Amino acid sequence: MYQKLGISKEVLAFGEKIEQSLLERFAEIDRVAEYNQLKVIHAMQECRVNESCFNYASGYGYSDRGRDVLEEVYAKTFHTEAALVRPQITCGTHALALALSANLRPGDELLSPVGKPYDTLEEVIGIRPSKGSLAEYGITYKQVDLFEDGSFDYENIKKAINNKTKLVTIQRSKGYQTRPSFSVKQIGELIAFVKSIKPDVICMVDNCYGEFVETIEPSDVGADMIVGSLIKNPGGGLAPIGGYIAGTENCIENCAYRLTSPGLGKEVGASLGVMQSFYQGFFLSPTVVAGALKGAIFAANIYESLGFPVIPNGSESRHDIIQAVTLGTPEGVIAFCKGIQAAAPVDSYVSPEPWAMPGYDSDVIMAAGAFVQGSSIELSADGPIKPPYAVYFQGGLTWAHAKLGILRSLEELVRRGLVTL
Ligand SMILES: *Cc1c(COP(=O)(O)O)cnc(C)c1O
């Protein structure tokens, strides 16, 4: 079958050898997935999920049982008082913007103690001016950068916390930066430090790409809110849209009042038939995340053994599903992405090309053959065509697909003479 899918004997043999060296780590990933699977099933049982939860609700969505029970399931799984899980939350950025704008008031200050936040949040906060930013509403922003080695600058974080500091935002995943992603334990230490200086400050964690990578979540170590996208990990590849916020009763009520309207809150917002995919996707998410993690580790080890810089490296512990591979040339980035595309179940016959994209200062090439548009829990890769010519790669709904994608990317590099095995 590999031959039929365009993988040569040499590439397959190379990949299988790397895979053999990773079996112990894969077993550990499976153990985490097993634990998280039980956690989700337990929550679903405790919340008495039943067939009526999958019913179609329209209009105002008063007493939409499926929606309300799903929010209980998220809260139980993540050990929070409450959750907001809605198709009306359009993406991760929207969920984060909602959590921030709902819990901050004019005159308050937002602090990021982990350096620059994810690109799209710059306009939300007003770091880059934008209509309707927090800055326009009189909310100020402070940032404390990480040390060179990615550790927290506790001294300057302490100095940055003042009587206006209302909310601290902590991004778990590196996103598209080169800093390390944080473990849940590290996040817990940072939260404890912040709360030791100012106990009533709200600690929010951008949990994108982190859900179910470990057996605990930031909400288990003191986060007042965790926030993410359903077309990443917790949607399990089935959710067609959506975002979630899980946290304290008070924070979530503020979010609900902001999402719909003061007074209406969680009571409105019909789920419009997406509930089965939300439940089933959440149920599948621990194993889907495990497949994506194996893919990331497989890619790291393949490309590291060929001499390319990879972040995280082949042996580091994992705190999210993103893998960066520095290929060093535009041709390398393009070949890698063409390989990922060629391995997709959808749109495999098209060939991605670098192009100018809004919000980027160089051409970008993107590969994705996904069932859900833009879903990055599905196998996908993209790379800006500029030094150091790195490609960011994530997802894979199954380990077998992730493996095929990575082998196909390697095949493309070999065919073009960019790599010799
Ligand atoms: C993806 C991501 C976001 C934004 O989510 P979108 O769904 O793309 O809007 C925010 N933060 C991090 C760390 C992310 O990975």
Side-chain angles (χ1 to χ4, degrees), residues 91-94 96 118 120 171 173 175 206 208-209 229 232 322:
C91 62
T93 304
H94 186 191
L96 289 157
Y118 197 75
T120 55
Q171 186 180 310
S173 165
D206 175 350
C208 282
Y209 289 130
S229 161
K232 295 180 180 173
I322 303 200

Side-chain angles (χ1 to χ4, degrees), residues 113-114 145-154 174 178-183 186 311 316 319:
V114 294
D145 289 335
L146 296 165
F147 283 127
E148 198 77 22
D149 66 354
S151 61
F152 306 129
D153 181 353
Y154 283 119
K174 66 178 155 311
T178 47
R179 69 152 168 98
S181 296
F182 304 124
S183 68
Q186 281 176 299
I311 303 176
E316 257 172 83
H319 309 299

Side-chain angles (χ1 to χ4, degrees), residues 218-265:
S219 44
D220 292 309
V221 294
D224 300 289
M225 282 189 284
I226 59 173
V227 184
S229 161
L230 298 201
I231 64 168
K232 295 180 180 173
N233 305 14
L238 295 187
I241 191 170
Y244 81 89
I245 307 169
T248 64
E249 196 72 58
N250 186 47
C251 284
I252 298 303
E253 187 166 49
N254 277 330
C255 293
Y257 273 36
R258 179 78 185 193
L259 175 65
T260 65
S261 148
L264 300 183

Side-chain angles (χ1 to χ4, degrees), residues 50-72 85-88 266-276 278-279:
N50 67 14
E51 193 194 355
S52 77
C53 293
F54 313 140
N55 287 350
Y56 187 99
S58 62
Y60 290 106
Y62 293 134
S63 37
D64 182 339
R65 181 168 186 276
R67 176 199 66 203
D68 294 346
V69 172
L70 180 71
E71 290 178 340
E72 272 180 53
V85 188
R86 306 267 167 147
Q88 287 83 12
K266 287 173 111 175
E267 304 287 321
V268 296
S271 56
L272 297 172
V274 299
M275 277 300 126
Q276 191 197 332
F278 278 24
Y279 278 96

